[in-house]
Amino acid sequence: MKTEELEEKLEGGAETPNIDFKSACSWNDLTFAKDILAMSNIQDGGYIIIGVKELQNNSFEREGVNEIQKNSYKIDDMRDSMTKYADPHVNFNVYFPNDKTGKQYIVIRVNEFSELPVICRKDSTDTKAGVIYYRNKNRRIESAPVSNSYDMRDIIKLATVKMLQKETKFGFVVKPTAKKKLNDELKGL
């Protein structure tokens, strides 16, 4: 990730379903598991940007990270620790970009699930086994258990599209419905 892309995400100054800010901290799977699980279940995944502090008035302030914190984000260790939380596995990368003032940040780029929605496998202080986490849109944006039909529909729709795309590669064809056939036949009338 380059400075320009980081600046685009920081300039909004607000969290979105695809962007989550965290204060400067070292890697700890307990801190990040729920957010990584949730972002893997939304279209296009998302970014967790470490080094942005939330203030009392719900605004955000850039603070950056230090070298000790940065050095704790070792991608292989991070992926190994997330394996115990996710079924199926989650796919993410970690970057260390600087903003335009030279402050360094840690960005975890979480990819959306590849085929099936991700279910939590492990209870912790912040997660519960058997729960599907999602970045909700119906209130203050947060990573939370799926709690309404709209969020579940988004996840099911994304999984359905992925499954159809995969099956189409192998020659599977979705047959048109009777209504579509009738509409096609009646087009000339």
Side-chain angles (χ1 to χ4, degrees), residues 66-186:
N66 63 42
E67 280 300 307
I68 294 170
Q69 292 162 336
K70 175 189 170 191
N71 292 335
S72 71
Y73 289 79
K74 296 181 173 97
I75 191 67
D76 290 336
D77 295 342
M78 294 167 66
R79 287 181 177 150
D80 287 347
S81 65
M82 281 305 299
T83 299
K84 59 188 168 195
Y85 288 95
D87 180 28
H89 74 281
V90 290
N91 188 7
F92 60 92
N93 293 304
V94 65
Y95 303 97
F96 306 100
N98 293 335
D99 70 7
K100 62 186 175 189
T101 67
K103 289 182 182 173
Q104 188 165 55
Y105 297 82
I106 301 161
V107 178
I108 301 172
R109 170 63 170 113
V110 182
N111 298 313
E112 68 184 49
F113 63 84
S114 60
E115 188 175 337
L116 298 170
V118 177
I119 301 170
C120 181
R121 307 173 27 163
K122 181 180 181 197
D123 288 336
S124 74
T125 54
D126 216 21
T127 61
K128 180 138 180 69
V131 172
I132 296 175
Y133 290 94
Y134 188 74
R135 295 284 289 178
N136 62 22
K137 300 173 194 163
N138 63 336
R139 58 186 185 273
R140 183 175 186 248
I141 295 172
E142 64 180 339
S143 299
V146 172
S147 62
N148 63 66
S149 60
Y150 300 104
D151 292 346
M152 183 58 83
R153 182 180 14 222
D154 286 347
I155 294 170
I156 291 171
K157 186 168 110 178
L158 184 58
T160 302
V161 167
K162 287 180 172 292
M163 188 64 70
L164 286 174
Q165 289 171 338
K166 179 183 175 194
E167 296 300 322
T168 305
K169 287 180 186 176
F170 297 113
F172 177 78
V173 178
V174 178
K175 294 182 182 179
T177 63
K179 182 177 179 180
K180 181 176 177 348
K181 282 184 182 178
L182 180 62
N183 287 338
D184 289 346
E185 289 177 13
L186 296 177

Side-chain angles (χ1 to χ4, degrees), residues 2-51:
K2 297 185 187 236
T3 298
E4 296 78 30
E5 189 178 355
L6 174 66
E7 282 296 332
E8 285 176 15
K9 294 179 183 359
L10 293 174
E11 283 175 2
E15 293 182 323
T16 68
N18 301 86
I19 297 175
D20 186 47
F21 296 136
K22 298 275 187 218
S23 290
C25 63
S26 296
W27 169 257
N28 180 340
D29 56 8
L30 293 173
T31 303
F32 294 97
K34 183 169 69 169
D35 294 313
I36 291 173
L37 294 171
M39 286 191 170
S40 69
N41 285 324
I42 61 173
Q43 187 169 354
D44 300 325
Y47 298 85
I48 301 170
I49 303 174
I50 299 102

